[in-house]
Amino acid sequence: NSVEKYVYSKLFDRLFSFYKEKYKEQDLKFHQKRKVLHTKLPVDILKNLEVKDCFVFRDPINFTASIVGDSNTFPQTPRTDSEFSFRTSRRDTLPYYEAIKALNRVESFTTPSEKLLALRQMFGNLKTAVVDHHGGTKELSAMDDMLPLFIYIMGMTSLTH
């Protein structure tokens, strides 16, 4: 792990700048689509992704998610969790918020093992949310159930690349 960290600390900036340039257009398209997605209610997004009803958590508070930042420019630096805000004082009520938070952290890491750990934590938080919501009577185990939820989480993040 220390060798990996050393190698990637020397290569990451160079490799990542190449990646950012190569995928600049796709990043911009994703950012624009995500901005539109953040104007929708989470319940509507989950329904449009055909998430099974038992995995669509409904909160009595209606709110719309929103990325913080200049709406006319593509963000150049990763946002921190404090910059990832919502037009509600209760953003922790956003369905699967802990999983979204975990995935947001992926950009703060440089090594593949750290990034994989963030993904693993995100999936763990996703499964935990389902078990907690249903008091242990339901579980998220089929990929057919996980994939639309993963798409939802990706869309709700503040990832820039």
Side-chain angles (χ1 to χ4, degrees):
N1 196 19
S2 60
V3 172
E4 177 191 41
K5 194 143 185 96
Y6 175 77
V7 169
Y8 277 94
S9 71
K10 301 297 181 194
L11 296 174
F12 183 78
D13 289 338
R14 192 175 303 163
L15 288 173
F16 198 69
S17 63
F18 170 74
Y19 165 84
K20 284 192 314 191
E21 189 58 37
K22 183 176 179 177
Y23 294 102
K24 191 176 182 177
E25 285 184 38
Q26 284 103 332
D27 283 345
L28 182 57
K29 286 178 185 176
F30 174 73
H31 176 68
Q32 291 167 339
K33 288 177 182 179
R34 186 184 60 217
K35 192 165 43 169
V36 170
L37 191 65
H38 283 209
T39 65
K40 311 291 182 199
L41 291 173
V43 170
D44 294 338
I45 297 166
L46 291 165
K47 285 294 195 185
N48 285 331
L49 289 170
E50 297 180 7
V51 171
K52 288 182 182 174
D53 281 341
C54 63
F55 302 126
V56 177
F57 304 159
R58 288 172 178 80
D59 191 273
I61 296 174
N62 273 345
F63 59 88
T64 303
S66 172
I67 316 173
V68 173
D70 184 352
S71 61
N72 298 320
T73 61
F74 183 70
Q76 298 301 313
T77 58
R79 290 185 178 87
T80 63
D81 184 52
S82 63
E83 293 172 314
F84 182 58
S85 69
F86 299 93
R87 282 185 237 143
T88 178
S89 59
R90 295 186 53 210
R91 66 183 179 171
D92 60 328
T93 62
L94 180 70
Y96 304 103
Y97 178 70
E98 290 300 319
I100 295 165
K101 235 171 53 170
L103 191 56
N104 271 332
R105 288 192 286 273
V106 79
E107 286 185 333
S108 66
F109 300 123
T110 57
T111 67
S113 60
E114 291 172 328
K115 290 180 182 285
L116 284 172
L117 184 62
L119 283 171
R120 197 169 106 203
Q121 183 180 12
M122 183 272 306
F123 277 110
N125 289 342
L126 181 64
K127 288 180 171 191
T128 300
V130 170
V131 170
D132 288 350
H133 183 76
H134 291 288
T137 61
K138 291 220 183 278
E139 209 174 294
L140 187 61
S141 57
M143 188 49 77
D144 288 346
D145 297 332
M146 283 188 201
L147 186 58
L149 288 170
F150 178 67
I151 293 168
Y152 163 79
I153 289 167
M154 278 294 298
M156 298 307 287
T157 65
S158 61
L159 296 173
T160 57
H161 303 285

